[in-house]
Amino acid sequence: MKYRLITLFFLALAFLQSCKKDIDTIQPVSISLQLEVDQTLFNYKIPFEKANVEIINKTNNEKYTAKANADGLVNFNSLSPGTYSLNVSLELDAEEVSSLSGQVTSQDLHLNYSADNLNFTTNYSSNIRLISSTPVGNWVFKQIYYAGSNTSKGAVTRDLFVEIYNNSDQVLYADSLVFTIVYGKTNNNTAEFLLPNLQFDWSKSLGMNVNNNANEDYVYAKAMFMIPSDGSGKKYPVQPGNSIIIAETAIDHTKPYTLNSDKVQEIEDPTLTVDLSKADFEVYLYPYEQKIQPGRTKFASDIDNPSVMDVETIFATGMRDMVLNPQGKDSYALFKASSAVDPNNFPKYPEPTTKTVTTETTRYPQIPTDILMDAVEISSVLEKDKTPRRLHISLDAGSAATLSGPYSSQSVVRRTKQTVNGRRILQDTNNSSKDFGVLTKADPSKTASSFID
């Protein structure tokens, strides 16, 4: 008995020493960030104390915020070691910029930065150069309904849509506006020819021949859908503060309807989905499929509503209907086609991991970022589920996400910045983490209920 007690004592002592060793090994870390800007672009002192700095632990989604001092120094203390994401935003209105610079301007200033998969396992310090972002177009995404609705009681992904808004004080024309789904790697696996954030390094694509940065100066399209024109460029006027809706399928999804397979599509709970029968445009992929694969049968749910104008499918791969990724693994962009910008003639490149190109290899159109009017990064609301961003931070330094994830009936909606003479001006800082909120149910009505403050 005495021997057994002595043995148990030493086992317990060894266990306690092991626990102590683990406690001693796992020490909290401190993070020091020095904010800065390109001094050649600014001849005045930036008030860094106005910056919002947020880091998120990718393991438990825990968020931490801090303020910089006047010199731009930000400190986070006693953090658990781990992998984090970082987002920084600083906004100055035109009056502040005018006062600081001594030059009158009507433009607000937006400074942003973001990074993902930062490993904070020991004390860390780094200089962070904020990027100046200026909206380049008056067309913006107002609402993106990508999550879909319940897979058994709702419409799954058949009821998706995007809403595009005239954020200017002038009449704009939607003719030749191109809605683009941006392509990129949708997992966090490691491989050759990837950027540090595990996204494709497009400069390594076979046949790539650009003088500029293949990753920062271009995006690559998974799909491009263009609003048609009659040649005048003024067929589809959109008044200031108004919008257009492009539906995946422009029918009333709250009611049963007949699929192309002659099967009736029932709906168990109409409150989970939406009526898109009054959409301005719809995507009907069958004519495009006939061009690339003549004789292919119609996809069951790719229904054509003859009373709603079809957009022109310029390019689409990996889909037989305009399905937006419900898990938040797509990003979206807008640009205008013209005599100088023909999306049919964009060069195309294979994935950088492709080592041999054949006639069966998918090649993705390369779009210059300087023609983009708006771009929005979509992601999972959970940091651990986020995949590498597809948009460079100069296009969108943040990301938007539904709160309840896929098949939740939720949409992301751009916030209202201010209302002038009854016209809503939507917020556009090129940081979707700040610019977008969430509707608990997508709303294609264009009424007050489809906006958020």
Side-chain angles (χ1 to χ4, degrees):
M1 177 64 72
K2 181 178 179 180
Y3 175 79
R4 186 175 300 170
L5 289 173
I6 292 173
T7 302
L8 289 173
F9 170 77
F10 281 109
L11 286 173
L13 182 62
F15 174 75
L16 290 172
Q17 288 177 333
S18 175
C19 290
K20 183 178 184 301
K21 182 178 179 181
D22 289 342
I23 292 171
D24 289 342
T25 301
I26 303 175
Q27 296 290 335
V29 297
S30 296
I31 310 303
S32 178
L33 305 174
Q34 178 62 59
L35 306 184
E36 59 182 35
V37 294
D38 186 344
Q39 293 296 331
T40 64
L41 300 178
F42 299 94
N43 62 353
Y44 54 92
K45 182 175 173 57
I46 298 295
F48 289 114
E49 66 274 15
K50 294 193 172 186
N52 296 306
V53 185
E54 178 183 82
I55 59 174
I56 306 176
N57 188 314
K58 292 182 73 70
T59 300
N60 57 21
N61 226 47
E62 194 75 30
K63 296 183 181 181
Y64 305 88
T65 59
K67 285 288 187 180
N69 65 18
D71 295 321
L73 184 63
V74 187
N75 290 310
F76 292 91
N77 297 311
S78 300
L79 294 177
S80 299
T83 304
Y84 288 78
S85 65
L86 165 69
N87 191 275
V88 185
S89 63
L90 194 163
E91 182 176 359
L92 301 176
D93 62 31
E95 185 177 347
E96 290 176 290
V97 176
S98 298
S99 176
L100 289 166
S101 66
Q103 298 178 334
V104 177
T105 180
S106 60
Q107 292 289 328
D108 296 344
L109 174 65
H110 308 292
L111 296 169
N112 295 296
Y113 182 85
S114 68
D116 199 13
N117 294 321
L118 297 173
N119 291 313
F120 298 154
T121 53
T122 60
N123 291 342
Y124 176 92
S125 63
S126 178
N127 285 26
I128 301 297
R129 176 161 291 190
L130 304 184
I131 293 177
S132 174
S133 302
T134 302
V136 294
N138 291 316
W139 290 108
V140 298
F141 288 104
K142 172 195 163 187
Q143 183 175 189
I144 304 174
Y145 176 41
Y146 68 90
S149 51
N150 189 275
T151 57
S152 59
K153 298 180 179 180
V156 198
T157 58
R158 297 183 299 273
D159 56 351
L160 306 181
F161 68 88
V162 294
E163 184 175 2
I164 302 168
Y165 189 81
N166 177 357
N167 209 31
S168 77
D169 60 359
Q170 305 291 322
V171 176
L172 298 178
Y173 297 88
D175 306 49
S176 303
L177 195 62
V178 182
F179 165 56
T180 301
I181 303 176
V182 178
Y183 183 70
K185 182 168 164 284
T186 57
N187 59 59
N188 289 306
N189 299 337
T190 58
E192 291 183 288
F193 310 128
L194 302 181
L195 297 169
N197 71 345
L198 303 182
Q199 187 51 261
F200 291 133
D201 182 353
W202 289 95
S203 70
K204 302 296 192 298
S205 295
L206 292 176
M208 180 63 67
N209 183 23
V210 297
N211 295 324
N212 298 315
N213 190 311
N215 300 298
E216 295 182 14
D217 296 335
Y218 301 92
V219 295
Y220 299 82
K222 178 180 177 180
M224 292 186 288
F225 305 107
M226 184 173 73
I227 294 174
S229 179
D230 60 1
S232 70
K234 295 185 175 182
K235 184 176 182 180
Y236 300 110
V238 181
Q239 298 298 318
N242 286 2
S243 62
I244 57 171
I245 286 180
I246 301 176
E248 175 188 351
T249 303
I251 59 175
D252 186 352
H253 294 272
T254 69
K255 299 176 181 177
Y257 61 93
T258 302
L259 299 169
N260 289 326
S261 60
D262 293 331
K263 175 185 174 181
V264 175
Q265 179 62 59
E266 302 288 350
I267 181 70
E268 184 173 337
D269 186 350
T271 65
L272 296 174
T273 184
V274 293
D275 179 1
L276 291 175
S277 61
K278 296 179 177 61
D280 301 279
F281 302 94
E282 75 170 348
V283 175
Y284 181 49
L285 270 170
Y286 183 67
Y288 175 77
E289 289 192 301
Q290 291 308 294
K291 288 196 296 185
I292 62 173
Q293 190 177 343
R296 194 173 192 179
T297 57
K298 290 183 179 180
F299 189 58
S301 61
D302 186 24
I303 307 296
D304 181 31
N305 181 347
S307 64
V308 175
M309 176 61 66
D310 293 339
V311 296
E312 179 184 350
T313 301
I314 303 293
F315 177 81
T317 185
M319 63 182 72
R320 300 200 64 191
D321 209 346
M322 188 195 76
V323 177
L324 313 181
N325 187 284
Q327 286 76 29
K329 296 182 180 182
D330 284 331
S331 297
Y332 308 104
L334 293 173
F335 68 91
K336 266 251 192 180
S338 65
S339 57
V341 178
D342 185 352
N344 291 290
N345 292 332
F346 288 155
K348 298 178 181 179
Y349 296 96
E351 289 183 2
T353 53
T354 300
K355 297 183 178 179
T356 303
V357 175
T358 69
T359 55
E360 302 299 316
T361 302
T362 300
R363 288 177 286 185
Y364 301 88
Q366 182 190 61
I367 306 171
T369 57
D370 60 8
I371 69 171
L372 300 183
M373 297 176 168
D374 193 25
V376 176
E377 180 84 8
I378 299 294
S379 68
S380 168
V381 70
L382 298 177
E383 285 293 321
K384 66 182 180 64
D385 293 334
K386 286 185 178 180
T387 52
R389 58 184 301 118
R390 293 148 293 275
L391 300 176
H392 188 262
I393 61 174
S394 61
L395 298 172
D396 187 351
S399 61
T402 57
L403 297 176
S404 300
Y407 313 115
S408 60
S409 302
Q410 294 181 343
S411 64
V412 294
V413 180
R414 192 178 292 274
R415 299 181 186 278
T416 299
K417 179 181 179 181
Q418 62 186 118
T419 302
V420 178
N421 297 326
R423 176 176 66 89
R424 288 181 183 251
I425 300 173
L426 305 186
Q427 182 169 302
D428 186 14
T429 69
N430 282 1
N431 189 327
S432 291
S433 300
K434 311 299 180 185
D435 292 343
F436 281 82
V438 175
L439 280 180
T440 55
K441 182 186 173 184
D443 186 345
S445 69
K446 304 182 186 179
T447 62
S449 63
S450 68
F451 291 87
I452 61 174
D453 295 324

